[in-house]
Amino acid sequence: NAGVTQTPKFQVLKTGQSMTLQCAQDMNHEYMSWYRQDPGMGLRLIHYSVGAGITDQGEVPNGYNVSRSTTEDFPLRLLSAAPSQTSVYFCASMHLSSYEQYFGPGTRLTVT
Amino acid sequence: DAKTTQPNSMESNEEEPVHLPCNHSTISGTDYIHWYRQLPSQGPEYVIHGLTSNVNNRMASLAIAEDRKSSTLILHRATLRDAAVYYCILLNSGGSNYKLTFGKGTLLTVNP
């Protein structure tokens, strides 16, 4: 199993550009989520999904869109990047019955 | 969300046991106690979780006080690879978003 994979590892964007952060898992997990981690702070939940076709907002959803067309993939789209979105983004997945969340290696995003 | 309190940092020597404390005096009856850790430049990693009884797995043990207002994560023989930030998190089993609220955690330093 590859576990949870994220691409790209690093990305630099200019203000106003859009991009998609990719997340995939091969463990057939129903639940997937996106977090952001700012320097010196804990992770904050952006969006989550409890199954294909179902998404919902987390704690800090503004400026981000998600979709879940398959069980495996959960891309995060930045609509119009802002410097405040400079952060490290982590994707996670979990079997709903287990409570054990598996995190990807992260994408480090810088918006200038 | 119920809050947890952890020491900012702790130090241990390699191959010695480590006891990482966590206070959660406002825990509710349906809150599970979770522990995650984050190694430098990596995503968080699940360690262990429990509700009322003590739990053991291949990574660690979780000792939960009888009144559930505190818990202790026990690493039986610390290795250099265990140097990380350890997060104690309460997760309500009745919630629908499975949000993990990461605080500042405890930075564990392991001396060779």
Side-chain angles (χ1 to χ4, degrees):
Chain A
N1 283 353
V4 180
T5 58
Q6 293 184 237
T7 56
K9 284 189 167 48
F10 301 94
Q11 182 70 48
V12 179
L13 290 179
K14 292 191 185 326
T15 297
Q17 287 184 317
S18 64
M19 80 157 294
T20 300
L21 279 62
Q22 301 291 345
C23 174
Q25 52 91 10
D26 60 358
M27 298 172 281
N28 204 29
H29 287 170
E30 306 94 335
Y31 179 86
M32 297 185 74
S33 61
W34 278 101
Y35 287 84
R36 60 176 287 175
Q37 184 172 32
D38 299 322
M41 294 183 65
L43 282 74
R44 291 182 292 168
L45 182 65
I46 304 171
H47 284 285
Y48 67 97
S49 167
V50 295
I54 306 168
T55 64
D56 209 340
Q57 296 181 352
E59 195 180 351
V60 287
N62 292 341
Y64 308 95
N65 272 356
V66 291
S67 59
R68 184 96 180 269
S69 55
T70 67
T71 299
E72 294 78 20
D73 301 298
F74 191 44
L76 177 73
R77 183 164 179 81
L78 277 70
L79 308 171
S80 176
S84 61
Q85 293 179 305
T86 294
S87 190
V88 182
Y89 290 83
F90 292 103
C91 178
S93 73
M94 177 183 76
H95 269 308
L96 288 176
S97 59
S98 79
Y99 287 112
E100 299 174 27
Q101 296 200 29
Y102 292 81
F103 285 80
T107 294
R108 188 174 295 274
L109 175 69
T110 301
V111 183
T112 61
Chain B
D1 293 336
K3 287 190 66 172
T4 63
T5 304
Q6 300 177 251
N8 289 335
S9 62
M10 290 185 65
E11 208 166 317
S12 172
N13 294 321
E14 206 175 3
E15 299 196 3
E16 290 184 355
V18 182
H19 291 234
L20 296 162
C22 181
N23 287 322
H24 28 78
S25 58
T26 60
I27 190 170
S28 76
T30 51
D31 283 335
Y32 280 77
I33 302 159
H34 285 246
W35 284 83
Y36 281 77
R37 70 181 185 181
Q38 189 171 21
L39 279 65
S41 301
Q42 294 190 26
E45 177 185 25
Y46 168 84
V47 178
I48 200 166
H49 78 277
L51 184 62
T52 56
S53 304
N54 294 344
V55 184
N56 300 300
N57 66 20
R58 62 175 179 81
M59 288 182 69
S61 295
L62 176 60
I64 301 172
E66 199 167 330
D67 64 4
R68 300 211 323 127
K69 292 185 187 301
S70 66
S71 60
T72 302
L73 178 70
I74 303 165
L75 306 179
H76 296 286
R77 289 183 66 204
T79 68
L80 296 178
R81 196 197 171 276
D82 291 322
V85 178
Y86 285 78
Y87 297 98
C88 171
I89 300 167
L90 301 183
L91 184 61
N92 192 288
S93 60
S96 61
N97 64 16
Y98 304 94
K99 180 181 80 170
L100 297 171
T101 301
F102 288 81
K104 292 196 183 300
T106 297
L107 175 63
L108 175 66
T109 302
V110 180
N111 300 315

